């Protein structure tokens, strides 16, 4: 009986049958050539020619292959056939926008059809692309789907398209190009045009469509632009391929902290980043373009625990007066520093980097001293240069083999604590809850969509007598067609006078900046909201916006009525972010100049631009802080070492904020530190990578000056599974931690007391619903308030519960029966699977 139980538990824990995953990834650089768009056949022949030359010989038979094409791979398809002839001619003389606009004549019947079908569609670019629906969808579905089927590969392809369906009959005859001779057509089913990424499976079927959230000006412009629509951050999808959970960041999305935070939250392991980048070697007043580029997908792989790989295919070539330029690449977390983008020094994390222009060996470009020479070459390649090197861009393909850890079989769910779980009435989507006490009031903050294409910080008060009060919306009015003033990463702090200070990041001017606002509590559960005050001091240089990636803010009380703001700051012209902090002595109405947590230089000298000065950090994120009993300040953050492996750094400051000591506490890969303290004891909790590739929570403690060795928080954790989003709270001198754990397949919300053997489950979500990002607050000596988000079919929604302390039923409460039932279920599933495949 004991032996059988051990075998059953081994199966439940996922240690039987779990196989490592591996796939070969290809990232394509595809060059614009007008003669490739003369006909449907020439368009398809150009795709096939590159594929058969640079991809087919390198496909593997023993693992899946994923081929990724660039952003707007079908841009040249606008010009296909007789209807595109006027555009092909005018692009060369009048420029890209005028050339594309000239297609309105040949496509007039289709545009008129959609004007009648969608009367609200009035933007010229939107109407033109509706008219082009059949042309573009036909080339996507009937070029790339069959290619995936023929070669038995996964294939990713990007195009601007409305949602569409395949039809036949009289309307098909109107919408289809007579040149195709087809009896069917592809018809738009909605007027919105999205920048979309289509992923096909090895049988040629369309598996998923993933859309872009943040649009560049030419995309969102409704007059002279393309009139596209971006999705909201909470709508970003992920999709499970057999070898990786995949999300898409189309160009600008790769730099947006909310997009990447959300995809990490959803467990995306692979980011496909279709790109149509420009001026790869021409910096002007801005950053060296490869430096700017490195701040996107490459950095998000280094930063986030879930995201392991980035595949970036590149569109290249001049389209009239527009330039598309860059190097295709594959990036991973850490690794030896053998590769670079051009004009840089080698960095950890590059798997493969493609050629640029006529340079054959990318490694020869790993030299910042060559930037002036490369810029001269880049200018000569641009439209209208008259130089022999004009449009001398490259078709290229890079590939690499990607190993990922095995996915263990689901284990049994932890037994529930039995507390009542309740839903919070919010907008269509609510996520990232935060809790704080201000005087006698309890406040909840979160990100809400509000159903108006707005992503704003929302607040509510809670009273044990009357429950939850009315919602306060801290966001600005909605702006059509873009995501300006999107808010993210709320943080709350109760002030000594009973008011609340709320902080967040926002995107009001195409820069992510940090703001704070004071809220004075009022009777009845509402409050008076003060003006939002800018906290960070990173300014645009000579008016050039930088898309600064401020993220992960924290607010803590410091000194007598002081407030410390802490954040991660992607500041021009450094490539990688730094943790900075600023002090307010007037309750958040004004803030001091910022300082670096690592004691590094505060400004970048001009002569250092080409040198990548050692004063630049290796990339810092997820800061947290607490004030020690003697008034000193302790800050923790995540930072890579010289090999690119992320770990936990600590810095101690005296009461005057002078840096006293720095140390690296973690050994091995570690992420997202959290700090807690009570009665002279401090705790550090973080997510550490285990030997099976999963994430397991670890903790250190100290009383006095020496930290204990790392201990596993939860000894029942399943190797290879993920424990994330630690939320510590101290009650009666003991540390409790709420966290998400996906041992059962979906993330459950667990709660454990440090030192206990196993946690209790708090959420009551059904299978298929993940419970993420908990917030926790000690209500009184005997109760914890817990709030988290459940990923429902309708979108993320907030749930809450009141959990009595101390925890009871640890490891009991029917746990043995639950393990037995789960084991029998898994055994039955495995036998059915063997029967189906035998």
């Amino acid at each position: 009986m004991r032996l059988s139980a051990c075998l059953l538990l081994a199966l439940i824990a996922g240690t039987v049958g779990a196989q490592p995953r591996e796939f070969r990834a290809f990232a394509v650089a595809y060059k614009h050539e007008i003669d490739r768009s003369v006909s449907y056949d020439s368009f398809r022949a150009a795709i096939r020619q590159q594929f058969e030359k640079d991809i087919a010989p390198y496909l593997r038979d023993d693992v899946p292959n994923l081929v990724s094409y660039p952003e707007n791979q079908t841009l040249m398809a606008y010009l296909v056939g007789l209807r595109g002839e006027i555009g092909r001619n005018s692009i060369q003389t009048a420029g890209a926008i005028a050339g594309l606009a000239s297609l309105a004549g040949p496509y007039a019947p289709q545009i008129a059809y959609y004007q009648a079908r969608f009367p609200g569609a009035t933007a010229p670019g939107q109407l033109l692309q509706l008219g082009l629906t059949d042309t573009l969808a036909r080339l996507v579905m009937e070029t790339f789907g069959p290619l995936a089927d023929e070669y038995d590969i996964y294939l990713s392809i990007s195009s601007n398209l409305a949602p569409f369906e395949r039809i036949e009959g009289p309307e098909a005859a109107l919408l289809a190009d007579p040149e195709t001779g087809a009896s069917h057509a592809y018809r738009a089913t909605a007027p919105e045009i999205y920048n979309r990424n289509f992923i096909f499976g090895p049988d040629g079927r369309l598996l998923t469509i993933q859309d872009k959230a943040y649009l560049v000006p030419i995309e969102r412009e409704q007059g002279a632009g393309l009139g596209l629509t971006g999705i909201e951050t909470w709508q970003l999808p992920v999709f499970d391929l057999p070898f990786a959970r995949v999300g898409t960041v189309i160009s600008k999305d790769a730099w947006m902290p909310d997009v990447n935070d959300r995809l990490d939250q959803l467990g995306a392991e692979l980011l496909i980043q279709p790109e149509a980048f420009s001026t790869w070697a021409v910096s002007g007043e801005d950053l060296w373009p490869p430096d700017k580029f490195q701040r996107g997908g490459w950095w998000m792989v280094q930063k986030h625990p879930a995201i392991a790989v980035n595949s970036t295919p590149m569109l290249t070539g001049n389209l009239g007066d527009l330039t598309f330029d860059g190097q295709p690449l594959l990036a991973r977390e850490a690794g030896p520093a053998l590769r670079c983008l051009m004009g840089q020094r080698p960095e950890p994390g590059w798997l493969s980097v493609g050629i640029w222009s006529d340079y054959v060996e990318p490694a020869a470009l790993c030299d910042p001293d060559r930037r002036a020479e490369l810029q001269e070459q880049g200018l000569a390649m641009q439209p209208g240069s008259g130089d022999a090197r004009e449009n001398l861009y490259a078709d290229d393909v890079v590939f690499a083999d990607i190993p990922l850890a095995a996915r263990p079989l689901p284990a049994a769910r932890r037994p529930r604590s039995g507390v009542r779980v309740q839903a919070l009435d919010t907008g269509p989507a609510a996520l990232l809850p935060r809790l704080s006490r201000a005087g006698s009031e309890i406040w909840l903050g979160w990100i809400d969509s509000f159903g108006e294409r707005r992503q704003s910080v929302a607040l509510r008060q809670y009273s044990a007598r009357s429950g939850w009060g009315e919602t306060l919306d801290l966001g600005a009015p909605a702006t059509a067609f873009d995501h300006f003033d999107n808010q993210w990463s709320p943080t709350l702090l109760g002030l000594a006078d009973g008011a609340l200070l709320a902080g967040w990041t926002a995107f009001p001017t195409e820069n992510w900046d940090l703001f704070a606002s004071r809220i004075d509590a009022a009777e009845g559960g509402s409050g008076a909201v003060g003006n939002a005050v800018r906290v960070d001091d990173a300014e645009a240089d000579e008016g050039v916006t930088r898309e600064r990636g401020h993220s992960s803010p924290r607010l803590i009380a410091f000194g007598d009525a002081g407030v410390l703001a802490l954040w991660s700051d992607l500041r021009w012209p450094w490539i990688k972010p730094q943790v900075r902090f600023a002090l307010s002595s007037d309750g958040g109405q004004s803030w001091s100049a910022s300082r670096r947590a690592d004691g590094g230089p505060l400004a970048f000298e001009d002569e250092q631009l080409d040198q990548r000065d050692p004063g630049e950090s290796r990339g810092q994120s997820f800061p947290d802080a607490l004030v020690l009993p003697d008034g000193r300040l302790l800050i923790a953050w995540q930072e890579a070492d010289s090999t690119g492996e992320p770990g936990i750094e600590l810095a101690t400051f005296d009461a005057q904020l002078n840096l006293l000591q720095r140390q690296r506490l973690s050994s091995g890969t570690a992420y997202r530190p959290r700090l807690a303290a009570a009665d002279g004891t401090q705790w550090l909790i973080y997510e550490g990578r285990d030997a099976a590739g999963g994430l397991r929570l670890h903790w250190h403690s100290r009383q006095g000056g020496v930290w204990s060795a790392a201990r596993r928080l939860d000894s029942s954790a399943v190797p290879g599974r993920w424990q994330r989003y630690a939320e510590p709270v101290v009650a009666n001198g003991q540390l409790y931690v709420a966290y998400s754990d996906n041992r059962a397949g979906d993330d459950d919300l667990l709660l454990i007391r440090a030192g206990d053997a196993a946690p209790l489950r708090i959420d009551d979500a059904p299978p298929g619903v993940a419970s993420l990002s908990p917030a926790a607050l000690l209500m009184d000596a005997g109760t914890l308030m817990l709030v988290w988000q459940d990923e429902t079919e309708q979108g993320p929604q907030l749930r809450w519960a009141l959990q009595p302390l101390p925890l009871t039923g640890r490891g009991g409460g029917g746990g043995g029966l639950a393990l037995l039932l789960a084991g029998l279920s898994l055994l039955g599933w495995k036998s059915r699977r063997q029967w189906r495949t035998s």
Side-chain angles (χ1 to χ4, degrees), residues 12 194 219 298 390 392 410 450 488 498 504 588 786-787 806:
I12 292 169
Y194 300 96
E219 290 178 311
W298 177 90
E390 185 174 345
L392 195 63
F450 287 101
W488 193 246
W504 64 89
L786 295 155
V787 185

Side-chain angles (χ1 to χ4, degrees), residues 387-440:
D387 192 282
R389 295 168 288 179
E390 185 174 345
N391 206 26
L392 195 63
Y393 303 98
D395 281 325
D396 191 24
V397 178
V398 296
F399 65 89
D401 293 325
I402 313 292
L404 293 175
R407 287 172 170 161
L409 297 174
R413 277 199 153 90
R414 292 297 308 160
R416 284 203 64 235
S417 70
V419 297
R420 180 189 177 195
V421 173
Q422 301 180 69
L424 269 167
D425 181 25
T426 63
L431 60 169
L432 299 184
R434 300 289 184 265
L435 288 166
S436 184
R437 185 188 299 275
S440 61

Side-chain angles (χ1 to χ4, degrees), residues 780-794:
D780 52 49
T783 307
L784 282 182
M785 173 179 279
L786 295 155
V787 185
W788 64 95
Q789 68 185 63
D790 272 359
E791 294 291 335
T792 71
E793 288 186 1
Q794 294 74 35

Side-chain angles (χ1 to χ4, degrees), residues 728-749:
V729 63
V730 179
N732 303 317
Q734 296 181 315
L735 174 68
Y736 292 84
V737 182
Y739 56 99
S740 294
D741 181 301
N742 73 351
R743 72 183 69 189
D746 307 306
D747 286 89
D748 292 324
L749 177 62

